Amino acid sequence: AQRVTQPEKLLSVFKGAPVELKCNYSYSGSPELFWYVQYSRQRLQLLLRHISRESIKGFTADLNKGETSFHLKKPFAQEEDSAMYYCALMNYGGSQGNLIFGKGTKLSVKP
Amino acid sequence: NAGVTQTPKFQVLKTGQSMTLQCAQDMNHNSMYWYRQDPGMGLRLIYYSASEGTTDKGEVPNGYNVSRLNKREFSLRLESAAPSQTSVYFCASCPLGDSNEQFFGPGTRLTVL
């Protein structure tokens, strides 16, 4: 079954420390993965997608098909990175594509 | 462009009451979605619509109905609200094909007493 797992509900780091938000997935086909972010009192928005292989706000994520992972990383966390982060998998099993979200990880960056 | 808009922003219902959450997008997207967000559960898909006139069930459709009125609008109806439906509801739209990025509305916070 298609599934996205984010093992950490809460991740707390100090400013300037590296951060890694974990995401593992289960999917029978070729996966298409995303990271979405929700800052306090803002709407959910796309942070990055694996096919773009881009770095947004200093964040990167590499798809590892062998480990079925798509971890989000940033070398030096900033206080403004504090937010809720969701990993999502594109599911083409139905009549169209729809996203399967993980349960989210709340990142708290302390000064 | 306003993007994805939702009304109302907040609503309190009594058990058994009905209501409709409205969603509209002005980005000419074909696909639209309704999610609910609960603490510790992430976002769960209620219903989605690939195009005008089509709808499909998601992960948690029980207790809800939807209408894709036209390309712009996708409404979610609770016929008989229950406390278990207390949640934050998000609407999203997506162009699909060219990009699979979903664009989200600001959410509706619903409390059922």
Side-chain angles (χ1 to χ4, degrees):
Chain A
Q2 295 87 342
R3 185 170 56 246
V4 175
T5 303
Q6 293 180 250
E8 304 135 331
K9 285 187 179 180
L10 174 65
L11 185 61
S12 185
V13 301
F14 286 102
K15 177 182 175 182
V19 62
E20 180 178 75
L21 289 81
K22 291 183 168 53
C23 172
N24 290 90
Y25 67 90
S26 174
Y27 190 66
S28 55
S30 183
E32 186 176 348
L33 287 147
F34 305 79
W35 276 99
Y36 280 79
V37 61
Q38 187 176 27
Y39 300 103
S40 180
R41 289 185 293 278
Q42 293 188 27
R43 61 183 72 190
L44 202 67
Q45 58 187 284
L46 178 68
L47 180 62
L48 53 79
R49 70 197 88 185
H50 91 271
I51 57 174
S52 300
R53 302 184 66 81
E54 58 199 344
S55 173
I56 303 293
K57 299 184 179 182
F59 284 98
T60 59
D62 291 318
L63 177 62
N64 186 322
K65 291 186 177 181
E67 296 183 358
T68 60
S69 69
F70 187 56
H71 302 329
L72 184 68
K73 300 177 184 179
K74 186 170 182 177
F76 307 103
Q78 303 299 314
E79 289 181 68
E80 55 265 31
D81 295 328
S82 295
M84 195 75 182
Y85 291 81
Y86 291 98
C87 182
L89 169 70
M90 194 68 177
N91 175 33
Y92 289 102
S95 60
Q96 63 159 61
N98 60 272
L99 287 176
I100 298 172
F101 283 87
K103 293 183 178 182
T105 298
K106 184 175 183 179
L107 175 64
S108 175
V109 181
K110 299 177 180 179
Chain B
N1 285 354
V4 180
T5 57
Q6 292 182 236
T7 55
K9 291 186 178 179
F10 302 93
Q11 183 71 49
V12 179
L13 294 177
K14 293 181 179 179
T15 297
Q17 287 184 317
S18 62
M19 79 160 296
T20 300
L21 282 64
Q22 305 287 353
C23 174
Q25 53 93 7
D26 60 3
M27 296 175 283
N28 202 37
H29 290 168
N30 286 316
S31 298
M32 297 186 73
Y33 309 81
W34 275 106
Y35 295 90
R36 59 178 290 172
Q37 183 185 43
D38 302 290
M41 299 298 292
L43 277 84
R44 292 181 292 170
L45 183 64
I46 304 171
Y47 271 94
Y48 60 100
S49 169
S51 61
E52 181 181 350
T54 68
T55 60
D56 284 287
K57 294 179 180 179
E59 181 185 354
V60 289
N62 291 345
Y64 305 95
N65 285 301
V66 289
S67 295
R68 184 73 183 270
L69 305 170
N70 47 55
K71 192 170 187 178
R72 290 188 64 250
E73 298 171 291
F74 187 39
S75 62
L76 178 71
R77 183 161 179 83
L78 287 69
E79 290 291 351
S80 179
S84 61
Q85 294 178 304
T86 293
S87 187
V88 181
Y89 291 86
F90 288 99
C91 177
S93 70
C94 179
L96 279 186
D98 295 335
S99 166
N100 289 327
E101 176 181 355
Q102 289 194 11
F103 294 81
F104 285 81
T108 295
R109 186 174 294 275
L110 175 67
T111 301
V112 184
L113 302 174

